[in-house]
Amino acid sequence: MKKTITIEPFDEYMESMAKSVELLNKFKIYGLTMRKRFVSKVIETDPFFASLENIDHLQQFWLGRLRDNNINERLEAVLGKLTQGLADQLEKLKQQ
């Protein structure tokens, strides 16, 4: 049974935290349930994350310790690319 959680954030910090949790949940829904695979797929999709500093950011994000609006925005763009990639794959399968 799926449950929906709604949060009305107290402040910007809590809003950023809630967004990070929402994004992490979406990555897990797409099958990235292991940190190593998550980091690899994000770097593959957006090379910005390939630096040691940004790899650390991804690992901290995975652990729920990073609340950064800039990182959230980039990860949201990564999710958009992954979603589009899945849609493209489904379309190709339908055409076969």
Side-chain angles (χ1 to χ4, degrees):
M1 174 187 218
K2 291 187 178 186
K3 296 182 180 183
T4 301
I5 299 172
T6 303
I7 297 174
E8 292 182 32
F10 170 74
D11 57 14
E12 288 182 23
Y13 177 82
M14 293 304 296
E15 182 178 5
S16 181
M17 180 187 298
K19 186 63 177 177
S20 293
V21 170
E22 178 187 25
L23 289 169
L24 180 58
N25 188 62
K26 287 180 180 180
F27 278 106
K28 289 186 175 192
I29 288 170
Y30 283 128
L32 299 173
T33 58
M34 297 180 67
R35 181 174 57 181
K36 184 177 181 179
R37 182 70 180 126
F38 162 76
V39 171
S40 296
K41 192 64 172 176
V42 169
I43 291 170
E44 177 185 316
T45 307
D46 185 351
F48 165 81
F49 288 104
S51 72
L52 289 177
E53 179 181 1
N54 288 329
I55 290 171
D56 183 57
H57 287 161
L58 291 176
Q59 292 179 359
Q60 294 301 314
F61 174 86
W62 182 264
L63 296 171
R65 296 179 184 159
L66 181 72
R67 293 162 237 8
D68 181 306
N69 288 329
N70 294 326
I71 298 294
N72 283 350
E73 288 174 14
R74 288 197 83 109
L75 289 173
E76 201 161 21
V78 168
L79 272 172
K81 290 178 184 177
L82 293 175
T83 303
Q84 185 59 50
L86 290 172
D88 292 346
Q89 288 177 359
L90 286 173
E91 188 61 35
K92 285 180 185 177
L93 288 173
K94 287 179 185 178
Q95 292 175 358
Q96 291 180 356

PDB file of all heavy atoms in Angstrom, residues 28-49:
ATOM      1  N   LYS A  28      14.852   6.272  -6.147  1.00  0.00           N
ATOM      2  CA  LYS A  28      14.650   4.888  -5.716  1.00  0.00           C
ATOM      3  C   LYS A  28      13.495   4.249  -6.476  1.00  0.00           C
ATOM      4  O   LYS A  28      13.569   3.072  -6.840  1.00  0.00           O
ATOM      5  CB  LYS A  28      14.445   4.822  -4.206  1.00  0.00           C
ATOM      6  CG  LYS A  28      15.730   5.119  -3.462  1.00  0.00           C
ATOM      7  CD  LYS A  28      15.589   4.922  -1.970  1.00  0.00           C
ATOM      8  CE  LYS A  28      16.939   5.121  -1.295  1.00  0.00           C
ATOM      9  NZ  LYS A  28      16.950   4.675   0.090  1.00  0.00           N
ATOM     10  N   ILE A  29      12.443   5.021  -6.753  1.00  0.00           N
ATOM     11  CA  ILE A  29      11.328   4.506  -7.546  1.00  0.00           C
ATOM     12  C   ILE A  29      11.814   4.084  -8.934  1.00  0.00           C
ATOM     13  O   ILE A  29      11.365   3.078  -9.489  1.00  0.00           O
ATOM     14  CB  ILE A  29      10.194   5.553  -7.646  1.00  0.00           C
ATOM     15  CG1 ILE A  29       9.475   5.666  -6.300  1.00  0.00           C
ATOM     16  CG2 ILE A  29       9.214   5.216  -8.765  1.00  0.00           C
ATOM     17  CD1 ILE A  29       8.509   6.836  -6.211  1.00  0.00           C
ATOM     18  N   TYR A  30      12.760   4.840  -9.499  1.00  0.00           N
ATOM     19  CA  TYR A  30      13.316   4.507 -10.816  1.00  0.00           C
ATOM     20  C   TYR A  30      14.312   3.353 -10.765  1.00  0.00           C
ATOM     21  O   TYR A  30      14.931   3.022 -11.765  1.00  0.00           O
ATOM     22  CB  TYR A  30      13.966   5.727 -11.454  1.00  0.00           C
ATOM     23  CG  TYR A  30      12.968   6.705 -12.026  1.00  0.00           C
ATOM     24  CD1 TYR A  30      13.017   8.046 -11.695  1.00  0.00           C
ATOM     25  CD2 TYR A  30      11.975   6.295 -12.903  1.00  0.00           C
ATOM     26  CE1 TYR A  30      12.105   8.949 -12.209  1.00  0.00           C
ATOM     27  CE2 TYR A  30      11.056   7.185 -13.420  1.00  0.00           C
ATOM     28  CZ  TYR A  30      11.129   8.512 -13.064  1.00  0.00           C
ATOM     29  OH  TYR A  30      10.227   9.390 -13.584  1.00  0.00           O
ATOM     30  N   GLY A  31      14.480   2.758  -9.599  1.00  0.00           N
ATOM     31  CA  GLY A  31      15.315   1.566  -9.495  1.00  0.00           C
ATOM     32  C   GLY A  31      16.724   1.809  -8.993  1.00  0.00           C
ATOM     33  O   GLY A  31      17.515   0.876  -8.901  1.00  0.00           O
ATOM     34  N   LEU A  32      17.052   3.038  -8.684  1.00  0.00           N
ATOM     35  CA  LEU A  32      18.394   3.336  -8.162  1.00  0.00           C
ATOM     36  C   LEU A  32      18.357   3.204  -6.645  1.00  0.00           C
ATOM     37  O   LEU A  32      18.319   4.181  -5.916  1.00  0.00           O
ATOM     38  CB  LEU A  32      18.839   4.728  -8.603  1.00  0.00           C
ATOM     39  CG  LEU A  32      18.922   4.904 -10.120  1.00  0.00           C
ATOM     40  CD1 LEU A  32      19.201   6.350 -10.483  1.00  0.00           C
ATOM     41  CD2 LEU A  32      19.973   3.997 -10.721  1.00  0.00           C
ATOM     42  N   THR A  33      18.347   1.958  -6.192  1.00  0.00           N
ATOM     43  CA  THR A  33      18.166   1.673  -4.767  1.00  0.00           C
ATOM     44  C   THR A  33      19.475   1.455  -4.019  1.00  0.00           C
ATOM     45  O   THR A  33      19.452   1.247  -2.813  1.00  0.00           O
ATOM     46  CB  THR A  33      17.260   0.445  -4.579  1.00  0.00           C
ATOM     47  OG1 THR A  33      17.858  -0.666  -5.255  1.00  0.00           O
ATOM     48  CG2 THR A  33      15.859   0.705  -5.133  1.00  0.00           C
ATOM     49  N   MET A  34      20.576   1.514  -4.742  1.00  0.00           N
ATOM     50  CA  MET A  34      21.883   1.370  -4.097  1.00  0.00           C
ATOM     51  C   MET A  34      22.700   2.631  -4.365  1.00  0.00           C
ATOM     52  O   MET A  34      22.684   3.168  -5.472  1.00  0.00           O
ATOM     53  CB  MET A  34      22.611   0.138  -4.636  1.00  0.00           C
ATOM     54  CG  MET A  34      21.870  -1.153  -4.337  1.00  0.00           C
ATOM     55  SD  MET A  34      22.719  -2.605  -4.966  1.00  0.00           S
ATOM     56  CE  MET A  34      24.163  -2.601  -3.946  1.00  0.00           C
ATOM     57  N   ARG A  35      23.403   3.096  -3.348  1.00  0.00           N
ATOM     58  CA  ARG A  35      24.143   4.360  -3.454  1.00  0.00           C
ATOM     59  C   ARG A  35      25.132   4.357  -4.611  1.00  0.00           C
ATOM     60  O   ARG A  35      25.200   5.319  -5.374  1.00  0.00           O
ATOM     61  CB  ARG A  35      24.861   4.661  -2.141  1.00  0.00           C
ATOM     62  CG  ARG A  35      25.618   5.980  -2.182  1.00  0.00           C
ATOM     63  CD  ARG A  35      26.211   6.355  -0.859  1.00  0.00           C
ATOM     64  NE  ARG A  35      27.089   5.309  -0.368  1.00  0.00           N
ATOM     65  CZ  ARG A  35      27.720   5.376   0.790  1.00  0.00           C
ATOM     66  NH1 ARG A  35      27.582   6.400   1.577  1.00  0.00           N
ATOM     67  NH2 ARG A  35      28.499   4.381   1.177  1.00  0.00           N
ATOM     68  N   LYS A  36      25.867   3.272  -4.765  1.00  0.00           N
ATOM     69  CA  LYS A  36      26.881   3.215  -5.823  1.00  0.00           C
ATOM     70  C   LYS A  36      26.241   3.381  -7.206  1.00  0.00           C
ATOM     71  O   LYS A  36      26.739   4.121  -8.053  1.00  0.00           O
ATOM     72  CB  LYS A  36      27.646   1.897  -5.739  1.00  0.00           C
ATOM     73  CG  LYS A  36      28.766   1.770  -6.724  1.00  0.00           C
ATOM     74  CD  LYS A  36      29.532   0.481  -6.537  1.00  0.00           C
ATOM     75  CE  LYS A  36      30.672   0.375  -7.518  1.00  0.00           C
ATOM     76  NZ  LYS A  36      31.446  -0.860  -7.336  1.00  0.00           N
ATOM     77  N   ARG A  37      25.137   2.708  -7.430  1.00  0.00           N
ATOM     78  CA  ARG A  37      24.444   2.804  -8.722  1.00  0.00           C
ATOM     79  C   ARG A  37      23.862   4.205  -8.927  1.00  0.00           C
ATOM     80  O   ARG A  37      23.896   4.758 -10.022  1.00  0.00           O
ATOM     81  CB  ARG A  37      23.346   1.741  -8.793  1.00  0.00           C
ATOM     82  CG  ARG A  37      22.607   1.730 -10.098  1.00  0.00           C
ATOM     83  CD  ARG A  37      23.482   1.215 -11.235  1.00  0.00           C
ATOM     84  NE  ARG A  37      22.726   1.225 -12.468  1.00  0.00           N
ATOM     85  CZ  ARG A  37      23.126   1.820 -13.582  1.00  0.00           C
ATOM     86  NH1 ARG A  37      24.291   2.410 -13.632  1.00  0.00           N
ATOM     87  NH2 ARG A  37      22.376   1.786 -14.647  1.00  0.00           N
ATOM     88  N   PHE A  38      23.318   4.781  -7.850  1.00  0.00           N
ATOM     89  CA  PHE A  38      22.790   6.143  -7.902  1.00  0.00           C
ATOM     90  C   PHE A  38      23.881   7.124  -8.320  1.00  0.00           C
ATOM     91  O   PHE A  38      23.706   7.902  -9.254  1.00  0.00           O
ATOM     92  CB  PHE A  38      22.215   6.530  -6.531  1.00  0.00           C
ATOM     93  CG  PHE A  38      22.025   8.004  -6.326  1.00  0.00           C
ATOM     94  CD1 PHE A  38      20.974   8.682  -6.919  1.00  0.00           C
ATOM     95  CD2 PHE A  38      22.911   8.721  -5.525  1.00  0.00           C
ATOM     96  CE1 PHE A  38      20.807  10.053  -6.721  1.00  0.00           C
ATOM     97  CE2 PHE A  38      22.750  10.077  -5.324  1.00  0.00           C
ATOM     98  CZ  PHE A  38      21.694  10.748  -5.923  1.00  0.00           C
ATOM     99  N   VAL A  39      25.026   7.071  -7.651  1.00  0.00           N
ATOM    100  CA  VAL A  39      26.138   7.987  -7.952  1.00  0.00           C
ATOM    101  C   VAL A  39      26.594   7.795  -9.400  1.00  0.00           C
ATOM    102  O   VAL A  39      26.766   8.765 -10.139  1.00  0.00           O
ATOM    103  CB  VAL A  39      27.301   7.794  -6.955  1.00  0.00           C
ATOM    104  CG1 VAL A  39      28.537   8.572  -7.390  1.00  0.00           C
ATOM    105  CG2 VAL A  39      26.871   8.220  -5.550  1.00  0.00           C
ATOM    106  N   SER A  40      26.764   6.553  -9.818  1.00  0.00           N
ATOM    107  CA  SER A  40      27.216   6.269 -11.186  1.00  0.00           C
ATOM    108  C   SER A  40      26.240   6.808 -12.234  1.00  0.00           C
ATOM    109  O   SER A  40      26.650   7.420 -13.222  1.00  0.00           O
ATOM    110  CB  SER A  40      27.390   4.767 -11.395  1.00  0.00           C
ATOM    111  OG  SER A  40      28.402   4.274 -10.575  1.00  0.00           O
ATOM    112  N   LYS A  41      24.955   6.579 -12.023  1.00  0.00           N
ATOM    113  CA  LYS A  41      23.949   7.003 -12.999  1.00  0.00           C
ATOM    114  C   LYS A  41      23.847   8.527 -13.058  1.00  0.00           C
ATOM    115  O   LYS A  41      23.700   9.103 -14.141  1.00  0.00           O
ATOM    116  CB  LYS A  41      22.589   6.393 -12.649  1.00  0.00           C
ATOM    117  CG  LYS A  41      21.580   6.537 -13.744  1.00  0.00           C
ATOM    118  CD  LYS A  41      22.031   5.757 -14.972  1.00  0.00           C
ATOM    119  CE  LYS A  41      20.969   5.699 -16.022  1.00  0.00           C
ATOM    120  NZ  LYS A  41      21.439   5.028 -17.231  1.00  0.00           N
ATOM    121  N   VAL A  42      23.948   9.178 -11.904  1.00  0.00           N
ATOM    122  CA  VAL A  42      23.888  10.644 -11.892  1.00  0.00           C
ATOM    123  C   VAL A  42      25.087  11.222 -12.642  1.00  0.00           C
ATOM    124  O   VAL A  42      24.945  12.126 -13.465  1.00  0.00           O
ATOM    125  CB  VAL A  42      23.805  11.194 -10.448  1.00  0.00           C
ATOM    126  CG1 VAL A  42      24.009  12.698 -10.424  1.00  0.00           C
ATOM    127  CG2 VAL A  42      22.461  10.832  -9.821  1.00  0.00           C
ATOM    128  N   ILE A  43      26.285  10.692 -12.384  1.00  0.00           N
ATOM    129  CA  ILE A  43      27.491  11.174 -13.073  1.00  0.00           C
ATOM    130  C   ILE A  43      27.388  10.914 -14.576  1.00  0.00           C
ATOM    131  O   ILE A  43      27.760  11.762 -15.392  1.00  0.00           O
ATOM    132  CB  ILE A  43      28.758  10.524 -12.481  1.00  0.00           C
ATOM    133  CG1 ILE A  43      28.986  11.057 -11.062  1.00  0.00           C
ATOM    134  CG2 ILE A  43      29.969  10.782 -13.368  1.00  0.00           C
ATOM    135  CD1 ILE A  43      30.068  10.311 -10.294  1.00  0.00           C
ATOM    136  N   GLU A  44      26.875   9.754 -14.939  1.00  0.00           N
ATOM    137  CA  GLU A  44      26.703   9.408 -16.352  1.00  0.00           C
ATOM    138  C   GLU A  44      25.743  10.389 -17.034  1.00  0.00           C
ATOM    139  O   GLU A  44      25.941  10.774 -18.187  1.00  0.00           O
ATOM    140  CB  GLU A  44      26.142   7.984 -16.449  1.00  0.00           C
ATOM    141  CG  GLU A  44      25.839   7.489 -17.834  1.00  0.00           C
ATOM    142  CD  GLU A  44      25.182   6.117 -17.785  1.00  0.00           C
ATOM    143  OE1 GLU A  44      25.642   5.254 -17.018  1.00  0.00           O
ATOM    144  OE2 GLU A  44      24.196   5.937 -18.533  1.00  0.00           O
ATOM    145  N   THR A  45      24.726  10.811 -16.321  1.00  0.00           N
ATOM    146  CA  THR A  45      23.713  11.701 -16.871  1.00  0.00           C
ATOM    147  C   THR A  45      24.145  13.166 -16.846  1.00  0.00           C
ATOM    148  O   THR A  45      23.825  13.929 -17.758  1.00  0.00           O
ATOM    149  CB  THR A  45      22.381  11.536 -16.106  1.00  0.00           C
ATOM    150  OG1 THR A  45      22.036  10.146 -16.093  1.00  0.00           O
ATOM    151  CG2 THR A  45      21.260  12.321 -16.744  1.00  0.00           C
ATOM    152  N   ASP A  46      24.882  13.555 -15.798  1.00  0.00           N
ATOM    153  CA  ASP A  46      25.342  14.943 -15.667  1.00  0.00           C
ATOM    154  C   ASP A  46      26.791  14.949 -15.185  1.00  0.00           C
ATOM    155  O   ASP A  46      27.051  14.806 -13.983  1.00  0.00           O
ATOM    156  CB  ASP A  46      24.455  15.709 -14.684  1.00  0.00           C
ATOM    157  CG  ASP A  46      24.811  17.188 -14.591  1.00  0.00           C
ATOM    158  OD1 ASP A  46      25.849  17.609 -15.140  1.00  0.00           O
ATOM    159  OD2 ASP A  46      24.044  17.932 -13.954  1.00  0.00           O
ATOM    160  N   PRO A  47      27.751  15.103 -16.099  1.00  0.00           N
ATOM    161  CA  PRO A  47      29.181  15.067 -15.749  1.00  0.00           C
ATOM    162  C   PRO A  47      29.614  16.122 -14.719  1.00  0.00           C
ATOM    163  O   PRO A  47      30.697  16.014 -14.149  1.00  0.00           O
ATOM    164  CB  PRO A  47      29.885  15.293 -17.084  1.00  0.00           C
ATOM    165  CG  PRO A  47      28.897  14.904 -18.120  1.00  0.00           C
ATOM    166  CD  PRO A  47      27.548  15.224 -17.545  1.00  0.00           C
ATOM    167  N   PHE A  48      28.772  17.116 -14.463  1.00  0.00           N
ATOM    168  CA  PHE A  48      29.060  18.097 -13.417  1.00  0.00           C
ATOM    169  C   PHE A  48      29.382  17.398 -12.095  1.00  0.00           C
ATOM    170  O   PHE A  48      30.217  17.864 -11.316  1.00  0.00           O
ATOM    171  CB  PHE A  48      27.844  19.022 -13.236  1.00  0.00           C
ATOM    172  CG  PHE A  48      27.866  19.840 -11.976  1.00  0.00           C
ATOM    173  CD1 PHE A  48      28.606  21.005 -11.913  1.00  0.00           C
ATOM    174  CD2 PHE A  48      27.135  19.440 -10.857  1.00  0.00           C
ATOM    175  CE1 PHE A  48      28.619  21.770 -10.744  1.00  0.00           C
ATOM    176  CE2 PHE A  48      27.149  20.196  -9.694  1.00  0.00           C
ATOM    177  CZ  PHE A  48      27.893  21.365  -9.638  1.00  0.00           C
ATOM    178  N   PHE A  49      28.765  16.273 -11.848  1.00  0.00           N
ATOM    179  CA  PHE A  49      28.916  15.570 -10.580  1.00  0.00           C
ATOM    180  C   PHE A  49      30.159  14.684 -10.515  1.00  0.00           C
ATOM    181  O   PHE A  49      30.369  13.997  -9.524  1.00  0.00           O
ATOM    182  CB  PHE A  49      27.674  14.728 -10.289  1.00  0.00           C
ATOM    183  CG  PHE A  49      26.474  15.548  -9.922  1.00  0.00           C
ATOM    184  CD1 PHE A  49      25.444  15.760 -10.825  1.00  0.00           C
ATOM    185  CD2 PHE A  49      26.369  16.120  -8.671  1.00  0.00           C
ATOM    186  CE1 PHE A  49      24.341  16.519 -10.488  1.00  0.00           C
ATOM    187  CE2 PHE A  49      25.266  16.883  -8.311  1.00  0.00           C
ATOM    188  CZ  PHE A  49      24.257  17.084  -9.225  1.00  0.00           C
TER     189      PHE A  49
END
